[in-house]
Amino acid sequence: MPSLSEVPGAVVDEAGLRHVGAPLAEQRKLASGTALAPLGDRRVISVTGPDRLSWLDSLSSQALTHLPAGVSTETLILDPHGRVEHAAAVVDDGDTTWLLVDAADAEPLATWLGRMRFRLRVEVRDRSDELSVVGGTRAAVGALAAISLAGVPVVWVDPWPDVSPGGWAYARVDDHPGVERDWAEAVVDAAEFDRVVAAAAAGEMSLAGRDAVEALRVAAWRPRLAVDADERLLPHEMDWLRTAVHLSKGCYRGQETVAKVHNLGHPPRRVVALQLDGSDSVLPARGDVVRVGDDPVGAVTSVAVHYEEGPIALALVKRTAPADVPYVVDTTDGPIAASVETVVPADAGATAGVPRLPRLGRRRAAE
């Protein structure tokens, strides 16, 4: 059985392949479709039974009852106060609903779903010991032998940043950076995963690691539960109503808060994108304080070095944080200056007249 450690240049940790020696070059290959990413930090849960879709619909934020086979979406499990507890990429093959989730969330989500079955005809299984997830562009992933137990390949195509039916977009920039990101994830069995690793070890295939995957995600403003969520996160704060929430579906836990914040108020925090000063080769860490002047306004959630944009980050800041002034991120190695780009506006909501904002790249080009 081939090992990822046998791939030339591979750096492997407990979460899988981190990089193969050149994270920036890996990003280019991943974005162009000439590399694949073994996603060791993703897990697979299957839900079977004739009640599976209507049952998941009743528990989560997305409308799933009539989800067509092969169509990709995502959903959130919220607590009674509307805060995000679990997140899952969702694709159904006509016989089984497949949930692709962050590794740390797999066991808690599977356990919670198991407790919520009651007398419905559903069965929940964590399939992570037998199945793996491989990511890349739709074309690259489409060349893999994804599992196809019901005749439909289990491939999830990321809907971000399109606004799904029933969803709502808070970011109103003219050119959302997520439009440029082509991303899909295939569920493969052990034999196919080993084939990919063996081909990479022999120099017949290029792999990209987690650092490259995360850099492309952060550049696309794409939220992720494992790093961008805390115990207080509302989906509105990360612009997650785009793809993970159906605002006019039936009742589910947390729905009252979702509707109230969207229709009558504004989210208490909001995500911003940061272009970091990279002159000192210092990067912040998740949780580092973001401030304006001497006033703390929030904290970093995700950070990466992008092959075109350089050091970048996502941060959650309080709703009233100013949008047109320099920010500073405090790190253990000293402060880092940052330019801020609005993702979720301060007046986000159904009744807000949100202005269209140019992206930083366009402003800089104009200057």
Side-chain angles (χ1 to χ4, degrees):
M1 180 182 299
S3 168
L4 283 170
S5 61
E6 299 174 21
V7 176
V11 174
V12 182
D13 57 21
E14 66 281 355
L17 182 65
R18 182 171 178 183
H19 61 78
V20 290
L24 298 183
E26 292 164 43
Q27 290 178 43
R28 291 182 183 275
K29 291 181 178 180
L30 200 56
S32 67
T34 58
L36 289 167
L39 301 178
D41 54 355
R42 296 285 274 169
R43 297 291 185 268
V44 181
I45 296 171
S46 67
V47 183
T48 55
D51 297 329
R52 66 188 185 282
L53 286 172
S54 59
W55 174 66
L56 288 169
D57 182 288
S58 71
L59 298 174
S60 69
S61 62
Q62 188 57 269
L64 300 173
T65 299
H66 303 293
L67 182 68
V71 173
S72 302
T73 187
E74 66 173 331
T75 195
L76 306 173
I77 303 292
L78 309 178
D79 74 5
H81 302 288
R83 296 171 294 211
V84 178
E85 288 192 336
H86 308 286
V90 183
V91 63
D92 191 271
D93 65 8
D95 184 64
T96 301
T97 302
W98 300 92
L99 308 179
L100 280 58
V101 302
D102 287 332
D105 196 37
E107 183 178 354
L109 176 56
T111 300
W112 186 83
L113 289 174
R115 291 172 179 166
M116 300 301 292
R117 289 181 300 164
F118 303 114
R119 305 181 76 171
L120 293 173
R121 298 168 295 171
V122 295
E123 180 182 357
V124 179
R125 290 180 58 196
D126 186 339
R127 307 286 292 274
S128 304
D129 289 341
E130 55 187 293
L131 300 172
S132 299
V133 183
V134 179
T137 64
R138 284 169 288 182
V141 164
L144 293 171
I147 63 168
S148 183
L149 305 182
V152 176
V154 182
V155 175
W156 177 74
V157 177
D158 192 353
W160 184 269
D162 292 341
V163 182
S164 301
W168 193 282
Y170 284 164
R172 297 296 181 88
V173 293
D174 289 327
D175 51 347
H176 193 292
V179 172
E180 302 172 3
R181 178 173 174 263
D182 177 3
W183 187 251
E185 298 179 5
V187 177
V188 301
D189 61 17
E192 178 66 356
F193 187 82
D194 289 347
R195 183 192 71 80
V196 170
V197 175
E204 300 167 356
M205 178 180 294
S206 294
L207 296 185
R210 186 172 69 251
D211 290 354
V213 174
E214 283 296 280
L216 298 181
R217 178 189 68 82
V218 174
W221 302 349
R222 213 283 183 236
R224 183 179 179 190
L225 178 76
V227 286
D228 294 313
D230 59 17
E231 69 282 354
R232 297 188 293 136
L233 184 73
L234 299 173
H236 319 63
E237 296 174 329
M238 295 299 301
D239 201 19
W240 228 338
L241 270 63
R242 282 179 178 271
T243 52
V245 177
H246 195 292
L247 290 168
S248 58
K249 60 166 281 186
C251 185
Y252 57 93
R253 191 173 70 161
Q255 188 239 3
E256 182 178 354
T257 298
V258 169
K260 183 175 181 180
V261 171
H262 178 65
N263 293 317
L264 301 177
H266 304 299
R269 300 178 299 175
R270 56 190 186 85
V271 66
V272 297
L274 301 179
Q275 298 281 346
L276 302 168
D277 178 8
S279 58
D280 292 329
S281 300
V282 174
L283 287 177
R286 182 174 185 261
D288 280 352
V289 171
V290 177
R291 58 183 169 85
V292 174
D294 294 327
D295 299 326
V297 295
V300 169
T301 63
S302 292
V303 63
V305 178
H306 190 263
Y307 72 100
E308 290 182 333
E309 299 184 30
I312 55 176
L314 298 177
L316 272 173
V317 300
K318 61 184 181 180
R319 182 177 63 83
T320 56
D324 55 356
V325 299
Y327 280 29
V328 174
V329 181
D330 288 324
T331 77
T332 55
D333 295 315
I336 301 175
S339 299
V340 62
E341 190 166 11
T342 296
V343 180
V344 173
D347 59 352
T351 60
V354 184
R356 299 185 68 82
L357 304 172
R359 294 201 54 220
L360 279 177
R362 290 194 173 187
R363 290 202 300 270
R364 289 173 174 170
E367 295 169 358

